[in-house]
Amino acid sequence: MSEFDVIVVGAGPAGSAAAIRLASAKANVLLIDRADPPGSKNVSGGVLWGDSLGQVIPDWEKSNMLERYVEAKGVTFLTKDSKIALDFRSTKFGEVKSGYTVLRTKFDAWLAKKAKDAGVMVVSGVTVDKLAMEGKKVTGVMQNGETVTADTVILAEGANSRVAIDSGIKKKPDDRHMAIGVKEVIKLPEKTITERFNLTSAKRGYASEYVLGFLEGGVKAGGFLYTNKESISIGAVISMEDLRKNNQTYSFNIIEQFKEHPFIAPLLADGRVEEYSAHLVPEAGQSVDQIYGDGYMIAGDAAGFTFSNGLVLQGMNYAIVSGIAAADAYIATKGSTSADRYELYRDTLKKTFVLRDMETFKGSDRVTWSESIHNTVPAMAEEIMLNIFSENGEPKKHLSRIVMESAFKNRQKRKDMIVDMYRMMKRL
Ligand SMILES: Cc1cc2nc3c(=O)[nH]c(=O)nc-3n(C[C@H](O)[C@H](O)[C@H](O)COP(=O)(O)OP(=O)(O)OC[C@H]3O[C@@H](n4cnc5c(N)ncnc54)[C@H](O)[C@@H]3O)c2cc1C
């Protein structure tokens, strides 16, 4: 007889959502997190997209853990001297759900507390070393030589999934499938933020993704800037492969270059850095490894469930939905054979956007980290805009000619442009 029905490793969105769902079905659950309080080591941009949390906390939108509701979404290319931006604002973001900005240190602790209130035993400040196994069957978790047993373990330990790797159930991801995210939280008065970003109220927010097409050494990185109630979250996600190859560049240099950009610095003026953090990000659309086996299921980042196409970066919603799917698979199969349970987990995920998106966007990293997106497109966009919006007293040209001249200058052959366009349309 096991000590617990389920042990959940990790109290991020995946683990806490799974634990809350399990507790609502009266399962005996242990939720373990290495941080104390849970979440204090977690990093997100972070916009919590959609309303997946409503599946476990129906009145979640009333929580004061939410910062601002995104009413303005940007996608921005930066070159050394220019900013080319799409600034999408819509009153329809009331009917169609966008997302709320959150600060993970507060948000995760709140979510873990919800699990505790629902009856889960929450243990924080304890790092699980390994899975306890009998042959290939997972029977619990090990910490400091001690074993705690469970019918099933849900691994929700995040992107740096040491427990799964050290227990031999997951391969170590290579650099191509990992990026590193660095982030700062910059304190500013609520009113300043609302005015600076032209927001309609202090409850409404702005979120933009950036292509940083101006970095020293041509390093490829995407940026983000999200508004909270009284702070701005700013950061960069950098290709691990690129960073490792380029010995001269470090992740903190990149966020500095981003913050000092002439069109970003004024947005942060008079702000005070409150928090600095860094974290791994599994590459979107990577091929997802085995996500279950005898005695365990893997959810959230640990399973590689993130999505990024340069326009949005999402992971928390995938974490919540996969955590709930793992819990539901346990609840539906309690007392029956293990094989049913784990296949049910996979089948449920296949019905949700989680595995469907992973399948649809498989290989999208080849576009999101391509030389074209990070260097050629920003350079061409700048040149085309300058050509269109400057008046030099010479006869005007058709847009198609401006584009072709710019492509030629940037050594883009017509054939390569068509191939790039095709890849973008197909993969993003
Ligand atoms: C810079 C950056 C920006 C991002 N921006 C966004 C965004 O805007 N929107 C979005 O949706 N997603 C964003 N993401 C992705 C998002 O943060 C993740 O997808 C999400 O946090 C995954 O949730 P999770 O519960 O699977 O893992 P995590 O949130 O990483 O939680 C894992 C938990 O496991 C615990 N843990 C780890 N190892 C152990 C162990 N051995 N023993 C005990 N506990 C352990 C950790 O302490 C942690 O609490 C961003 C990520 C980064 C890095």
Side-chain angles (χ1 to χ4, degrees):
M1 176 88 177
S2 305
E3 290 157 273
F4 289 91
D5 291 334
V6 183
I7 295 177
V8 182
V9 180
S16 288
I20 295 169
R21 181 68 132 217
L22 286 160
S24 72
K26 305 273 176 276
N28 176 19
V29 187
L30 172 65
L31 173 63
I32 310 175
D33 200 278
R34 67 184 166 154
D36 186 21
S40 48
K41 292 186 178 167
N42 291 346
V43 185
S44 259
V47 180
L48 174 60
W49 291 97
D51 56 8
S52 315
L53 200 54
Q55 292 180 43
V56 281
I57 305 174
D59 62 349
W60 69 284
E61 286 184 275
K62 292 194 185 129
S63 158
N64 64 0
M65 291 300 124
L66 305 172
E67 295 289 318
R68 290 177 186 246
Y69 182 71
V70 175
E71 69 168 358
K73 179 72 185 76
V75 178
T76 312
F77 287 90
L78 292 176
T79 64
K80 182 169 155 285
D81 300 303
S82 309
K83 164 184 157 188
I84 307 106
L86 170 82
D87 183 346
F88 180 70
R89 289 167 194 249
S90 180
T91 52
K92 288 196 171 158
F93 271 155
E95 304 151 31
V96 182
K97 185 75 72 197
S98 60
Y100 289 91
T101 50
V102 294
L103 289 165
R104 291 289 299 273
T105 36
K106 275 160 59 183
F107 179 78
D108 286 22
W110 168 78
L111 204 53
K113 168 84 173 36
K114 288 276 177 196
K116 193 174 174 201
D117 294 345
V120 172
M121 182 187 284
V122 181
V123 175
S124 51
V126 169
T127 302
V128 170
D129 299 327
K130 264 179 121 173
L131 292 170
M133 298 176 94
E134 279 171 17
K136 288 198 166 172
K137 182 175 167 51
V138 171
T139 54
V141 299
M142 296 178 71
Q143 199 262 337
N144 243 344
E146 299 279 319
T147 300
V148 188
T149 57
D151 214 12
T152 287
V153 174
I154 297 178
L155 273 175
E157 55 176 329
N160 192 11
S161 25
R162 295 285 359 147
V163 176
I165 294 167
D166 293 348
S167 306
I169 60 167
K170 185 178 164 178
K171 282 194 290 241
K172 190 168 180 277
D174 56 31
D175 284 357
R176 218 172 80 75
H177 289 126
M178 276 291 170
I180 181 143
V182 282
K183 175 188 166 185
E184 285 184 10
V185 175
I186 297 180
K187 186 98 180 142
L188 275 168
E190 183 183 87
K191 191 161 171 277
T192 308
I193 294 174
T194 307
E195 284 171 3
R196 231 172 241 185
F197 291 89
N198 291 323
L199 298 165
T200 54
S201 83
K203 291 195 158 102
R204 299 291 181 211
Y206 171 79
S208 183
E209 262 64 34
Y210 293 80
V211 171
L212 308 182
F214 61 93
L215 298 172
E216 283 164 13
V219 171
K220 298 190 275 293
F224 59 86
L225 186 154
Y226 305 145
T227 56
N228 306 311
K229 272 180 208 151
E230 293 182 320
S231 62
I232 288 175
S233 294
I234 184 165
V237 176
I238 309 135
S239 146
M240 192 76 116
E241 195 178 33
D242 224 38
L243 202 59
R244 191 112 51 190
K245 268 194 233 151
N246 190 326
N247 289 328
Q248 306 304 311
T249 310
Y250 301 97
S251 46
F252 62 84
N253 284 345
I254 289 170
I255 191 169
E256 283 309 312
Q257 288 179 63
F258 183 25
K259 281 167 53 189
E260 284 163 13
H261 189 278
F263 294 108
I264 298 298
L267 300 174
L268 310 175
D270 305 321
R272 179 169 48 81
V273 178
E274 255 202 340
E275 205 181 295
Y276 182 90
S277 52
H279 205 277
L280 290 174
V281 191
E283 206 32 68
Q286 62 169 285
S287 52
V288 177
D289 283 345
Q290 185 68 11
I291 52 168
Y292 63 89
D294 200 359
Y296 71 90
M297 291 175 268
I298 311 183
D301 270 13
F305 298 148
T306 52
F307 170 79
S308 157
N309 62 357
L311 311 178
V312 284
L313 168 56
Q314 300 188 354
M316 286 185 272
N317 49 346
Y318 291 89
I320 291 166
V321 173
S322 59
I324 293 172
D328 283 346
Y330 178 82
I331 295 162
T333 58
K334 198 172 173 191
S336 70
T337 67
S338 346
D340 292 347
R341 174 169 305 156
Y342 307 116
E343 279 159 25
L344 183 62
Y345 176 46
R346 181 199 55 204
D347 293 347
T348 310
L349 285 180
K350 274 189 178 166
K351 285 188 200 134
T352 66
F353 61 85
V354 177
L355 275 186
R356 287 193 178 176
D357 288 358
M358 295 307 121
E359 191 52 42
T360 309
F361 293 96
K362 205 183 225 169
S364 62
D365 55 319
R366 287 193 203 120
V367 180
T368 46
W369 290 118
S370 68
E371 202 59 40
S372 288
I373 290 268
H374 287 267
N375 295 314
T376 319
V377 171
M380 279 181 65
E382 177 188 77
E383 210 162 72
I384 292 163
M385 294 297 160
L386 284 174
N387 208 314
I388 297 172
F389 298 124
S390 59
E391 182 52 67
N392 56 11
E394 290 189 8
K396 297 182 184 7
K397 296 171 192 165
H398 279 299
L399 181 61
S400 57
R401 188 159 160 214
I402 297 173
V403 172
M404 286 323 293
E405 281 179 5
S406 169
F408 183 70
K409 222 169 134 190
N410 284 284
R411 298 195 192 146
Q412 276 277 295
K413 294 190 189 120
R414 189 193 288 256
K415 183 180 87 205
D416 294 341
M417 275 174 67
I418 293 169
V419 171
D420 281 348
M421 287 297 286
Y422 173 76
R423 281 202 183 125
M424 279 181 216
M425 303 290 279
K426 193 162 175 339
R427 296 222 160 102
L428 293 190

